Amino acid sequence: MQFSFPCKRKRCSNKNVNFTPFPSCVDGERHQGRFTGLSVEIIDPDQAKSLYDSGCFGKGSKSRGGPASGDEDETLLLGLEESCFLAYYLNTLEISDLAGSSMDFQAFIEAAQQLNERFVESLACYLCLKSKNWVIKSGIKFGGDFLIYKQSPRLYHASFLVIVQTTCDADYYQSKNLKGVQRVAETSDKDVLLLTVYPPKDVAHPRDLQATTVTETIVRRFNYLTFVQSKQQ
C-alpha cells in the first residue's frame, strides 16, 4: 500500500497568493528581536509583517496568525527554534536580551535550555524539517512539539503532528501513549510524525548540529476499508 499524507487545502480567498519561503534583510539591516525569557519579540510593525509574510514566522501577540488585530501595540512573537534559525542560520535576525545586549549563539542556546532542556534536540528537528520546505508551527495545542504545513497555514491545514523523541524518553512513546497522540491527530485529519534525535555531545556553534542524526517514523492506523477502496479504484 503506497503511503500518501494528507495535504488538505483551505477554503480561502487568497488561493493564488505566492509566499516567499524566507525573509531577507532590507538594505543589509537585520530584523531586531528582543528575548523576553519565553520568546523573541519583534516590536517594529514593518519587520513583523516582513517576517510573517516571508515564511509565516511567528504569530501575532493578539491574533491567531500574523499580526492582524490592528492594535498599534501588537507585536510578533517568535518561537525559540525559529528565532535561532533566523538569527544564526539565515542571519536575518539580531536577538538582544532585556538589557539590550546582543546574544550570540551560545548565550541563546543556554537561555533556551533553561526553558526547554531538550532545546538542542528540538532545534535539530526544526532544521531537518525546514530543509524539506515545511512551514513549522507549535504543536502544543494537539499535544505535540510541532505542526507542519505545506507552503502556508493560510492555504493548507497541517499535514503532520510532530513528536520529538530523544534517546532518554524512547520508552515513553510505546503503543499505549502513542495511540493517544495518534487519535488526537486523527480527529483533525493529521498523521503523527515521530522524530528520534541523536545529537552531538557538544554544540558550541551552529555548524555543530550537522553531526545530528534524525530518524523519521510515520504513525498511522491501518484502515482495512480504506485499503480495499484504494485497491478498487
Side-chain angles (χ1 to χ4, degrees):
M1 182 178 179
Q2 184 178 4
F3 175 77
S4 61
F5 62 85
C7 193
K8 189 175 180 181
R9 190 148 191 163
K10 290 183 176 180
R11 297 178 181 178
C12 54
S13 59
N14 53 354
K15 292 184 178 180
N16 298 320
V17 176
N18 293 321
F19 291 93
T20 306
F22 300 113
S24 58
C25 298
V26 179
D27 298 328
E29 295 185 4
R30 293 188 291 174
H31 300 81
Q32 300 298 312
R34 179 180 61 184
F35 179 63
T36 64
L38 295 175
S39 62
V40 174
E41 185 179 37
I42 310 296
I43 299 177
D44 184 275
D46 293 331
Q47 292 187 355
K49 185 177 185 303
S50 171
L51 286 174
Y52 191 81
D53 289 346
S54 302
C56 295
F57 292 96
K59 69 173 295 294
S61 59
K62 297 183 178 181
S63 307
R64 291 184 60 187
S69 68
D71 293 349
E72 294 182 357
D73 59 344
E74 183 175 22
T75 59
L76 184 74
L77 303 178
L78 298 173
L80 298 179
E81 292 85 4
E82 58 187 348
S83 300
C84 192
F85 173 69
L86 291 169
Y88 309 112
Y89 290 89
L90 291 187
N91 199 31
T92 59
L93 174 67
E94 182 176 356
I95 303 176
S96 303
D97 58 22
L98 293 176
S101 302
S102 180
M103 300 180 69
D104 60 13
F105 178 76
Q106 190 62 38
F108 186 81
I109 289 290
E110 292 175 358
Q113 286 180 319
Q114 293 181 5
L115 297 172
N116 177 11
E117 61 183 12
R118 303 191 311 165
F119 174 73
V120 171
E121 289 83 355
S122 296
L123 176 61
C125 291
Y126 184 95
L127 296 175
C128 176
L129 295 169
K130 265 299 175 188
S131 70
K132 300 181 180 183
N133 296 323
W134 289 106
V135 172
I136 308 167
K137 294 295 182 182
S138 172
I140 191 172
K141 180 179 178 180
F142 294 92
D145 293 285
F146 302 117
L147 291 173
I148 55 177
Y149 299 78
K150 176 183 177 180
Q151 292 186 1
S152 168
R154 295 175 179 176
L155 297 179
Y156 291 91
H157 294 281
S159 297
F160 289 97
L161 173 64
V162 180
I163 303 293
V164 176
Q165 176 180 267
T166 66
T167 55
C168 297
D169 56 15
D171 293 335
Y172 178 77
Y173 289 109
Q174 298 303 318
S175 57
K176 183 178 71 172
N177 294 326
L178 200 54
K179 282 180 181 178
V181 175
Q182 193 276 332
R183 287 188 177 185
V184 170
E186 193 178 62
T187 57
S188 54
D189 201 20
K190 300 174 180 58
D191 285 320
V192 175
L193 178 60
L194 187 64
L195 299 182
T196 306
V197 193
Y198 303 90
K201 292 183 179 180
D202 297 317
V203 178
H205 192 274
R207 64 173 176 267
D208 292 340
L209 283 176
Q210 294 177 359
T212 303
T213 300
V214 179
T215 61
E216 302 178 355
T217 304
I218 295 174
V219 182
R220 172 182 280 187
R221 288 196 300 170
F222 178 75
N223 189 315
Y224 179 77
L225 180 61
T226 302
F227 173 74
V228 172
Q229 290 175 345
S230 67
K231 290 299 182 182
Q232 293 175 346
Q233 292 178 354

